[in-house]
Amino acid sequence: PPQTETAARVGRQPPPRQHGEREGERARGKMKFLQNLMSYWANMLLVETLANSRTFQRFAISSDKALRELKKKGDLSAQDITKQASAFSEEMTKAFRDEMMKKK
């Protein structure tokens, strides 16, 4: 006897999931949601703190000015970029810490 379409589909379906598998998926989904939420809040706090930081604003202006001058001179080498990036990182970290200390 020929197989019906339903019988053919049933033969190819994966086995039903166990109860524990669904619980694990839910837990992972909740965890991912919380991670995304915390990441969003942390990014928002960081951006808001840096945007309102006078120290960071001064640093951004001086870095932009220095990079523009280097570009005009045509001496923009990998070492110059590395030095600027290092200085930027240090100054940004210092500005962020200063702002966080002010809020406490």
Side-chain angles (χ1 to χ4, degrees), residues 2 6 18 22 29 31 35 41 50 54 67 85-86 91 94:
T6 305
Q18 299 298 320
R22 284 183 275 163
M31 197 63 164
Q35 287 173 341
W41 282 342
L50 290 176
R54 292 284 182 200
L67 286 172
S86 177
E91 194 68 32
K94 182 181 178 234

Side-chain angles (χ1 to χ4, degrees), residues 38-87:
M38 293 302 290
S39 177
Y40 173 78
W41 282 342
N43 286 335
M44 195 167 72
L45 176 67
L46 180 66
V47 168
E48 194 172 300
T49 301
L50 290 176
N52 294 324
S53 167
R54 292 284 182 200
T55 306
F56 182 75
Q57 291 171 0
R58 284 192 301 266
F59 172 72
I61 290 170
S62 65
S63 294
D64 181 60
K65 183 179 177 183
L67 286 172
R68 287 177 191 256
E69 288 175 8
L70 285 173
K71 188 175 179 182
K72 284 181 186 176
K73 292 178 184 177
D75 294 334
L76 192 58
S77 68
Q79 288 180 338
D80 293 333
I81 292 172
T82 303
K83 287 178 187 176
Q84 286 292 323
S86 177

Side-chain angles (χ1 to χ4, degrees), residues 1-35:
Q3 280 189 332
T4 64
E5 184 180 358
T6 305
R9 273 190 281 139
V10 170
R12 288 184 271 149
Q13 291 180 349
R17 293 183 178 174
Q18 299 298 320
H19 180 69
E21 289 178 24
R22 284 183 275 163
E23 289 297 320
E25 288 175 9
R26 285 186 192 144
R28 284 189 293 275
K30 288 178 185 177
M31 197 63 164
K32 185 171 181 162
F33 172 76
L34 289 175
Q35 287 173 341

